[in-house]
Amino acid sequence: NILLECVYEINACVPYAGLPAGGADGAWELESSAVTAVLALLPEELQPGLPPPVLSPDDIKQAVAVLHCLQRVCSSPQLAAVVLSAPSALLRIWCCLGCGSDHVAAEAARLLLRLFAPAAARHGAAPWRLLRAAVPLGSEDAATTNSREDNTLAKTAKHVAFTPQQQQQRLDLLLQPLRAQPPPSHLTSMALLEVIAALAVDPGARTSEVSLQDTCLQAAASLGRLLFSLFSHPAGRVADGVAVLMRAIAGRGAAAAAPMREAALREGALLQHLQLAIFASGDKARLSQELVASWADEYAPALALLRRILPAGLVRYLNAPRAKPSAGLSSALPAAPLVPAVATVVRPAVASDAAPQAATALGAPAAAPLVFAATPALAPQLMPGSAGAGPAAAAAANAMNGQLLASQVDSGKPYLALPNGHAASNTLTELQPSAAAGNANTASLQPALMQPQHHQQQHPIIPLPPQPTASVVVPQVSAGLRGNWPALWSAAGRDHCHAGLIWNETTRRELWDALEREEAGLRAARTRVAKGAGGWPTWNWGEFSVTYPSLSGQLCIGGVYVRLLLEGGDASAVEKLANPKEFFTACYHTLLCCQEASDATGTDSSSTSGSNSSSITAPAAGKATQQLCVKAMAASYSAHAGVIGPCEGIPHILQLLDTTMQRSLRHGLLLLVHALIAPRAAGDMTAMTKHLPTAAIATSLPKVAASDDQQTADTLSQAGVPQLPVLAVPLPPPQLPRGQATASVGSTNSNMTSSSSPQWQVPTPAETIAICAAKANGYVLMDCGGMQLLVDFIAAAHECTERRAAAAGAGAGVAAAGAGHLITSISHAEAPKEWYFYPTGSSSSTPVTTSDKASSAPDATTADIPDSYQVGEERVPGPDGSGCAGPISKEAMKQLYSKGVITRYTRVWAAGMPAPVELWSVRELRWMLSTGLGLLGPFEAALVALQVLHQLAALQPAVDETGGVLQPLPRAHRGLADPACLPHVAQIMLTGEPALVSAAASLLLLVLAHNQSAVSRLYLSGVFLFGLAYCGSNLQEMAALFKAAHLVQAFRGPAELTAGLPLVQRSYLGPLLPESLLHMLDSYGPAVFAAALAGDHNTPEVIWTAGMRQRLIQAMLQHLGDFPHRLSQHCHAVYEYTPPPPLSWPELGDEIWCHRYYLANLCDEERFRGWPVVEHIQLLQALLGEWRAELARQPLAMSEAQACKTLGITPAGDGHVDEDEMRRAYRALARRYHPDKNPSPEAQATFLRVQKAYERLQAGAAGGQGPQPWRILLLLRAQVILYRRYSGLLAPYKYAGYPQLLEVLRQQQLQEPGQQQPAADGDAKACQAATASSGVHTTGSSAATVATASAVGAAIGNFLSGDRVQQVLASIELCWLTCAASAKNAEELMRTGGLALLATLLSRCAGILPFDTAPTAAEAVITTHTLRTVAGLAAVEGARREIEGHRQLLMDIIR
């Protein structure tokens, strides 16, 4: 009793922390016998080998007092060593642990904790806390560490208590109270867990042997459900102990953690810690994150549960590549003190009423723009500086920035495995954007809920009741985990708004509520069990899932939010899809489901599933779903055509394209067809298909993946249409020549090949596969009638009521004049009425080709049909005797349809249709009645269709690898050249839309390049007239078409029969354009021709002004009449060809076009002095030929009166014939008698007379005269300039124009003085020009002297008077220049009798030449050139002897 009282006294006087450091002599002393005596105070029943006794309350009290005393004694390492050395001390303690008394067992466990974790026990801290030495007892700083003595004591105690033979037995005894029923008290549970943690959890595990650690953890894992039940223990320290113990078990590997995983699901521990891992903060969150990772990593049921709870885009972060930590990061425990923090839970704030709408807004910028892996692997990346991203996460993000995961973690296969063994769909991944900020201003305008939350403390902090307040310090997740769990937790703490993931405050709140409800229900059930109500409940985890109502309006396919994929901030998001084929198939399946639901119910509808579905999540709006699916299919196929392969749903797509009544869906399907035929993945197929052999572009493709790789333009770009090249060949820069020597850029034969060869590109393997897929799609499209569908889209462009102005690149005058006249020509007070319909009850006299479905309608009699229909201000006539009502415009028809007067079964008819048909069978009218707004305008839709047809033709080249033309031509080329398609492609030029004009011309050039039969009759489509009527400036593509086709038209018969004719007669454009433009087109190529046609030029090589182009456009539009305007009402009308009348150009009335120059401009040396001349020999030959033709010119046989009679017109009183009236008469007669309209021989002869009559009236008064002096003068002056500048080049050639030249001099000398006419005012200008061209430098008054001398000579009757004096001046100078150039010319002049004529001319001039004559006078100039010519002749031996015998000539020379 005395010893027991001493025990009580020690317990009362010594604090629980233990004895103070050191005694009176600096150390405490204790004898082993004293320890043995104290142990003897324990109840006698507590002996080794005896069964557990039932202790009385007094025995329990005494045992607890003894154990308390030993705990205080063992606070000193020296005294604890004495206790350990006492005989049977540890045996008695183990007996107390298994005595069955809850209180005794708890104190025995606390005594063992004093031995196994001395420092933590002294301070009352958990053994998993990291402690530091040299801290006074009772200090509030719990962040202390063990001393060397403490570590020695702990290691010795564990070695003594757990010998190798007794490890398992002692551990079973240690865990026995936890297995007892009812469960032990909170204090006992806590003490036992702390002892186990001191053995197997750091830092206590450092003093334990490895075998002891493993055995201890295995024993703890064997508790299974009992251990997990402690997670919901009301004592926070118990829950913490279980957590750290679980972490330690998981750290031993998958085999050690396997028994715990199933229990974690059944007991709901995964549910509880998942909530803490996402919404808690501090050490508690990190511990829960590690526990969830250890339970779920590589465990299919847990991963399946995570996929049902979290969005798929968030779960995919587990497949992110794990970045290596930087040098400064270490997995070792930190040495710096860790300040304890209160574990809090970050609970989402309650969103306002507008929060769901803001959360589902799609226009908000994403905090982390989406990047799609190029492989099935997923590569989420931590965002530096984001909430939840610590130093390790930031280092990982920096290391991974801009990189994609090339293979899956370890195995190269998708990591997330479904329960049935299939891999999860890994479609998207997120990376840090390469460009920082992006649209900062746009982001600031978005709703607050869509903004990225970069600061975790912005969330309201709400503690979870009840939650422990102890700090937990744990190391990082074990490197043995395969999933990148840190990336998952980091991503869960940030906001995301991209195609792979929508995660914000609203979704976090929805997840919080779902987890809280589930945990509260499980907790309530267990509370009822604790009160005796039934057995222990387990969690039904197999059926638990979380739905996110805020995401119900999002279309999610394969884990991809489609709208954000197409409209998100990452423009290259689609290219980074990892599984494009599966995504494309899922989109098409969704489209089919929407259509089937719509067909079944009569309205558009769609099925809705949970947002975490791995296949499809469709919103309620069926129309929006269809459009998004179609856009997603187009985008994914365009980027991954080679991976996806040929599309099997083209027939259905075309059928839906034709029958849908939604404009937006129709345009979306058109864009999908564009992607199927012209995907971006195939590159520029026009330049690449040349390198592919025909066998390589097969319709059946191996299932392999690819290895690598303005207003209209803006609209198409927004719609996702790439701007494809519309030129089949590259064109040189449009620069007008300035006389430089330029080789001909194309032959004038029937070959349609390009004038220059483009730089062909060899496709990559990925592009080759994409091209093969596109070609296979093209054949299916043609088999299903898709080509005609596309042509109908092209024709529908005429419905656009807004005609755009000419391109701004043309000259201001041309653009303004052309655009203004175009608007004037097609503007009418009211729309033309082209359609007729047969109201129900009336009968058509014309046989119909479809069944009469109207018979099923209610019976109607003719008496029920009104005489007329009033539609707005338009009055539509009722049916006539044949039952036909109309004509009616489209707008009126649409209104009558809305009123029910016209139904889908009403028969309609328009000019050009063989018979009336039902309205619904006319695609043009059916599309007109479509509803909703379209994605594209009529012009944009037509341009897309043209691009598809262009690429369709490019996929089927008309030549093989060797350059040989395929026979027969490919199907695409034959189909587009068919009369059902080609006219509509040509007529698109009448819209005046620049992009359409260029695309149509390029398509025609590509299709007709090797189709000789079709290109020879291209003029019948009116394409030349449509092109010349276009007033824009983008003329290069049209010029390329003109270049290839204008010389091969069969309008004059076969090309072989016209091969020898001049260019103006061989070219179809000859009657319509000046010869200079034809020369530009034929010699310089399309680019120069386009620049000349669009510009304003007045040079020796081209004369073309804005007024001339305006007149050309006006003439073409007048010739076309109202046909362009009628197309807006009947888009499928076909132009009825009528040959245009030849055009005259008053600006060229005083010009002569010879070879390649306008002679008047060429001879104008004031404006064009030194203008370079090329092809000198050809020009001289042309000048001589033109001179002979002019001299042989005879007056036209037909008079103007006869011509007017032939054309059926009456001239005005002054004899003038209006040009417009003349053209109208010509067009009327050409429609009747042109050989293409009337093949009879009589009609052909009549048409020839009509042509001659028109040419006679165009020639005017000059047509009734012979040779024109002014033309001869220009021809002479041009020769003078040629010999003056290039005599050296012409010297080797003998001049062949001496007979005509001497005839000019002879005719002048034969004239009598009385026949001379007084010199006109124009003689002064002529004399001045002649003097300037002679090379004699004169002043301004000297030219007037020449004219004055001529006038005076006329007055006195000399031979130099009259209008021929200029011819004499030019002729004599030409004689001198030719003789000076070559001796052969001198001999030729002598042979033709030129010496006698020169002697006569010199004699006559000398006779009238006074001594004071000015050197610039006509007689002085002629005398000078005559003397120079004679001097040139004297250089020839034969001529010199003849000159010596000509006495009069010598006398005149001397005089």
Side-chain angles (χ1 to χ4, degrees), residues 779 782-783 787-788 791 949 952-954 956-958 965-983 985 1003-1004 1006-1015:
Y779 280 115
M782 290 187 295
D783 292 338
M787 189 178 296
Q788 187 59 48
V791 171
L949 292 176
L952 187 63
Q956 304 175 27
V965 179
L966 299 178
Q967 289 298 330
L969 291 173
R971 290 174 53 189
H973 292 250
R974 299 197 310 270
L976 288 172
D978 188 84
C981 297
L982 188 142
V985 176
L1003 176 61
L1004 291 174
L1006 177 63
V1007 171
L1008 302 177
H1010 304 283
N1011 194 336
Q1012 299 300 323
S1013 60
V1015 74

Side-chain angles (χ1 to χ4, degrees), residues 478-733:
S478 171
L481 300 180
R482 294 190 61 183
N484 193 345
W485 294 93
L488 172 65
W489 308 128
S490 176
R494 304 193 308 269
D495 282 2
H496 305 267
C497 184
H498 52 75
L501 179 61
I502 298 178
W503 188 249
N504 47 43
E505 286 293 340
T506 303
T507 54
R508 277 192 286 267
R509 175 68 190 197
E510 292 166 352
L511 176 62
W512 166 275
D513 293 340
L515 296 178
E516 183 69 18
R517 287 194 302 268
E518 188 73 9
E519 187 178 357
L522 184 61
R523 190 165 49 246
R526 290 174 176 174
T527 302
R528 290 192 297 269
V529 171
K531 296 180 180 180
W536 183 260
T538 59
W539 183 37
N540 185 13
W541 59 270
E543 297 181 359
F544 178 69
S545 63
V546 177
T547 59
Y548 296 89
S550 62
L551 303 180
S552 61
Q554 299 288 339
L555 176 62
C556 184
I557 299 178
V560 180
Y561 293 100
V562 178
R563 188 178 296 277
L564 289 179
L565 174 71
L566 302 174
E567 303 172 3
D570 188 0
S572 60
V574 180
E575 281 77 0
K576 299 164 188 174
L577 279 170
N579 296 318
K581 186 171 184 178
E582 290 78 1
F583 178 75
F584 181 85
T585 304
C587 290
Y588 184 54
H589 177 67
T590 307
L591 177 65
L592 292 176
C593 292
C594 293
Q595 186 183 9
E596 291 174 0
S598 177
D599 295 340
T601 62
T603 58
D604 292 326
S605 61
S606 60
S607 60
T608 305
S609 61
S611 61
N612 297 307
S613 174
S614 61
S615 58
I616 300 171
T617 302
K623 293 182 180 179
T625 301
Q626 286 180 323
Q627 295 171 14
L628 283 177
C629 289
V630 170
K631 292 179 66 176
M633 291 171 65
S636 60
Y637 197 92
S638 181
H640 305 280
V643 179
I644 299 174
C647 178
E648 299 179 357
I650 291 181
H652 168 257
I653 292 172
L654 294 179
Q655 179 186 6
L656 185 60
L657 174 66
D658 184 22
T659 58
T660 181
M661 297 303 292
Q662 304 176 42
R663 285 192 179 89
S664 57
L665 180 59
R666 181 182 301 115
H667 291 163
L669 291 168
L670 175 62
L671 297 176
L672 174 57
V673 172
H674 182 281
L676 294 175
I677 305 301
R680 291 195 310 274
D684 183 5
M685 286 178 283
T686 303
M688 291 180 179
T689 50
K690 180 178 179 180
H691 287 278
L692 295 179
T694 305
I697 310 179
T699 55
S700 59
L701 301 176
K703 295 183 179 180
V704 295
S707 59
D708 303 299
D709 196 77
Q710 24 154 334
Q711 179 178 0
T712 302
D714 295 339
T715 305
L716 294 180
S717 177
Q718 295 172 4
V721 180
Q723 294 304 302
L724 299 176
V726 295
L727 281 177
V729 295
L731 295 177

Side-chain angles (χ1 to χ4, degrees), residues 102-461:
D102 189 75
H103 198 178
V104 175
E107 296 304 328
R110 296 178 68 182
L111 177 57
L112 290 175
L113 186 63
R114 290 274 181 162
L115 299 174
F116 298 159
R122 281 197 302 270
H123 293 82
W128 50 83
R129 290 288 295 164
L130 185 64
L131 302 179
R132 187 180 60 202
V135 177
L137 293 177
S139 173
E140 296 181 357
D141 185 3
T144 60
T145 186
N146 297 337
S147 63
R148 179 176 299 178
E149 294 80 1
D150 292 337
N151 291 334
T152 302
L153 173 62
K155 189 172 184 179
T156 303
K158 293 175 183 178
H159 179 74
V160 174
F162 296 97
T163 61
Q165 298 78 12
Q166 296 178 330
Q167 280 184 4
Q168 189 64 45
Q169 177 185 359
R170 296 286 172 86
L171 289 174
D172 292 341
L173 185 63
L174 182 64
L175 297 177
Q176 180 179 351
L178 295 176
R179 296 189 176 97
Q181 291 294 334
S185 64
H186 302 339
L187 185 63
T188 303
S189 299
M190 180 183 70
L192 292 173
L193 285 176
E194 289 180 348
V195 172
I196 297 173
L199 295 174
V201 178
D202 282 338
R206 299 179 184 180
T207 58
S208 303
E209 296 180 357
V210 176
S211 60
L212 176 61
Q213 298 179 34
D214 294 339
T215 306
C216 182
L217 292 177
Q218 291 176 3
S222 64
L223 292 176
R225 185 184 62 83
L226 296 175
L227 187 61
F228 277 94
S229 63
L230 298 178
F231 271 117
S232 57
H233 202 283
R237 194 155 169 175
V238 175
D240 289 344
V242 174
V244 296
L245 185 60
M246 287 290 184
R247 182 197 56 77
I249 295 174
R252 290 296 173 178
M260 313 301 297
R261 292 178 171 178
E262 184 179 358
L265 289 175
R266 290 199 311 266
E267 297 302 322
L270 183 62
L271 174 69
Q272 176 185 1
H273 282 274
L274 179 63
Q275 184 181 21
L276 293 173
I278 295 177
F279 298 106
S281 63
D283 298 336
K284 176 66 71 175
R286 289 194 290 274
L287 177 60
S288 297
Q289 290 169 2
E290 293 184 5
L291 288 176
V292 173
S294 65
W295 294 332
D297 192 75
E298 293 189 279
Y299 187 48
L303 291 176
L305 175 63
L306 287 180
R307 286 194 294 272
R308 296 197 303 270
I309 294 177
L310 301 176
L314 200 58
V315 178
R316 278 192 289 266
Y317 275 86
L318 291 176
N319 280 14
R322 196 188 307 274
K324 297 181 180 180
S326 60
L329 299 177
S330 175
S331 59
L333 291 175
L338 300 177
V339 180
V342 178
T344 57
V345 176
V346 180
R347 185 171 182 173
V350 179
S352 63
D353 295 340
Q357 291 79 1
T360 58
L362 300 178
L370 184 68
V371 178
F372 302 77
T375 63
L378 305 176
Q381 180 174 355
L382 300 180
M383 306 293 294
S386 301
N398 293 332
M400 295 158 48
N401 189 19
Q403 300 178 1
L404 294 176
L405 183 61
S407 61
Q408 287 294 353
V409 180
D410 296 338
S411 65
K413 298 181 179 179
Y415 166 68
L416 297 179
L418 297 176
N420 57 5
H422 295 285
S425 176
N426 299 331
T427 309
L428 305 177
T429 178
E430 182 188 26
L431 290 180
Q432 173 73 9
S434 58
N439 298 328
N441 296 334
T442 306
S444 63
L445 300 177
Q446 301 302 328
L449 289 176
M450 298 302 296
Q451 298 297 329
Q453 303 294 329
H454 295 289
H455 302 286
Q456 190 77 7
Q457 58 267 27
Q458 292 179 356
H459 305 285
I461 299 178

Side-chain angles (χ1 to χ4, degrees), residues 877-1066:
D880 54 13
S882 63
C884 178
I888 185 174
S889 64
K890 277 186 176 180
E891 185 61 31
M893 183 181 292
K894 190 173 182 180
Q895 296 185 31
L896 291 180
Y897 180 84
S898 64
K899 296 178 180 179
V901 176
I902 296 178
T903 66
R904 61 192 307 170
Y905 304 119
T906 301
R907 291 189 293 272
V908 296
W909 180 85
M913 297 175 59
V917 295
E918 292 180 355
L919 181 145
W920 220 244
S921 63
V922 181
R923 187 175 291 148
E924 174 184 346
L925 299 180
R926 186 173 68 249
W927 287 2
M928 177 194 68
L929 299 174
S930 300
T931 59
L933 297 176
L935 300 176
L936 308 171
F939 288 161
E940 286 77 15
L943 181 57
V944 173
L946 282 170
Q947 290 182 348
V948 173
L949 292 176
H950 189 282
Q951 296 298 341
L952 187 63
L955 284 170
Q956 304 175 27
V959 295
D960 59 10
E961 298 85 348
T962 62
V965 179
L966 299 178
Q967 289 298 330
L969 291 173
R971 290 174 53 189
H973 292 250
R974 299 197 310 270
L976 288 172
D978 188 84
C981 297
L982 188 142
H984 299 294
V985 176
Q987 288 170 187
I988 199 64
M989 294 184 179
L990 292 175
T991 60
E993 174 63 17
L996 295 182
V997 173
S998 298
S1002 179
L1003 176 61
L1004 291 174
L1005 178 61
L1006 177 63
V1007 171
L1008 302 177
H1010 304 283
N1011 194 336
Q1012 299 300 323
S1013 60
V1015 74
S1016 64
R1017 302 183 63 82
L1018 181 62
Y1019 71 99
L1020 295 178
S1021 67
V1023 65
F1024 294 98
L1025 309 180
F1026 306 153
L1028 293 178
Y1030 175 61
C1031 56
S1033 62
N1034 56 318
L1035 302 173
Q1036 291 199 29
E1037 294 81 5
M1038 187 190 305
L1041 177 62
F1042 286 178
K1043 173 68 171 68
H1046 76 115
L1047 294 177
V1048 296
Q1049 300 305 301
F1051 70 106
R1052 291 185 182 274
E1056 293 79 5
L1057 301 180
T1058 61
L1061 296 177
L1063 176 63
V1064 69
Q1065 297 182 20
R1066 288 185 289 116

Side-chain angles (χ1 to χ4, degrees), residues 1320-1373:
D1321 295 337
D1323 291 339
K1325 297 181 180 179
C1327 293
Q1328 183 178 3
T1331 306
S1333 64
S1334 65
V1336 180
H1337 299 284
T1338 64
T1339 60
S1341 60
S1342 60
T1345 305
V1346 176
T1348 304
S1350 299
V1352 173
I1356 63 177
N1358 68 55
F1359 74 100
L1360 293 179
S1361 61
D1363 54 355
R1364 295 204 176 197
V1365 64
Q1366 304 304 325
Q1367 294 185 14
V1368 175
L1369 290 170
S1371 299
I1372 193 61
E1373 183 179 3

